[in-house]
Amino acid sequence: MKLLKTITSYIPAVAIAFVLSLFIGIFVFQPYKVVGQSMEPTLQDDQRVYTSKLARTFSHMPAYGDIVVVDSRVNRERSFWDNIVEQPLIQLIRGASNDRTFYIKRVIGKPGDVIEIKNQQVYRNGEALVEPYIKEKMNPSQDSKWVIPDNHIFVLGDNRNNSEDSRVLGPIPFDHIMGIEEIK
């Protein structure tokens, strides 16, 4: 009987810790794991990154060059429920799936920007970008152009020849930015 009483006395503390953990993961910061080589040489496969969610919480647009985690399911609306069920603690309880929903990419364009890729070079608003962080020059491809709409960003991987990014997904809605990992 004493053991049961001791166990039940811990329930409020465990419940508070659980709720606090969810709050921190939804609004403050969250860890993610790099899957694949799309951000090489900046980030390596299986590397852990910790993203700040404060910019998202306070609706602050990331800066050019920031590394962001985005929800790649751009053709669906995100809900607050998504933020809850995607928390590591909830994934642990539910039995985490191995889906590749979240991509880690670099911000290249913001609302109103015109992004062009021509002759293996990225241009923002007509100016060629200086990108010392990329792994190698892009393979030759068809020239492309995007005008970034309001509340969207344009992202690319640092390993341009091995990255599924805005060239495939299109501009990313602001509410699909999960967090920002600022590497300076």
Side-chain angles (χ1 to χ4, degrees):
M1 196 55 138
K2 186 174 181 174
L3 178 62
L4 183 59
K5 188 175 181 179
T6 302
I7 291 172
T8 58
S9 71
Y10 286 110
I11 291 175
V14 170
I16 290 170
F18 181 78
V19 169
L20 187 60
S21 171
L22 285 179
F23 178 84
I24 290 170
I26 292 170
F27 298 108
V28 182
F29 78 94
Q30 183 173 345
Y32 288 91
K33 183 177 178 183
V34 177
V35 178
Q37 293 82 32
S38 73
M39 282 302 291
E40 288 180 350
T42 308
L43 300 173
Q44 305 302 315
D45 187 31
D46 289 333
Q47 182 177 343
R48 293 248 179 231
V49 295
Y50 294 88
T51 61
S52 169
K53 293 194 158 199
L54 293 174
R56 178 183 179 171
T57 299
F58 296 110
S59 299
H60 175 73
M61 184 66 67
Y64 294 121
D66 279 353
I67 293 176
V68 295
V69 175
V70 297
D71 181 342
S72 67
R73 303 168 296 179
V74 295
N75 295 324
R76 73 183 271 285
E77 292 288 323
R78 284 194 54 83
S79 69
F80 185 72
W81 182 249
D82 290 327
N83 295 326
I84 293 170
V85 298
E86 292 163 353
Q87 291 305 303
L89 191 54
I90 300 296
Q91 292 291 314
L92 182 65
I93 293 168
R94 293 178 68 202
S97 64
N98 245 355
D99 69 29
R100 296 188 60 180
T101 301
F102 301 108
Y103 292 176
I104 301 175
K105 306 295 176 190
R106 188 177 298 274
V107 176
I108 301 298
K110 299 196 302 189
D113 286 340
V114 176
I115 303 296
E116 292 181 88
I117 298 177
K118 55 186 177 185
N119 301 322
Q120 301 170 278
Q121 175 68 48
V122 178
Y123 293 83
R124 180 174 50 232
N125 302 323
E127 292 188 32
L129 298 184
V130 176
E131 301 180 291
Y133 44 77
I134 64 172
K135 183 172 183 176
E136 59 195 4
K137 194 170 188 152
M138 280 186 280
N139 290 334
S141 64
Q142 182 177 355
D143 291 353
S144 303
K145 183 177 185 177
W146 299 265
V147 177
I148 313 308
D150 286 342
N151 298 314
H152 286 71
I153 60 171
F154 191 90
V155 297
L156 294 174
D158 289 357
N159 184 357
R160 304 283 162 80
N161 296 320
N162 188 18
S163 178
E164 186 172 331
D165 45 39
S166 286
R167 293 173 292 176
V168 176
L169 302 171
I172 306 295
F174 182 75
D175 68 346
H176 282 58
I177 302 170
M178 306 311 301
I180 300 173
E181 169 66 1
E182 296 182 35
I183 295 181
K184 304 291 180 195

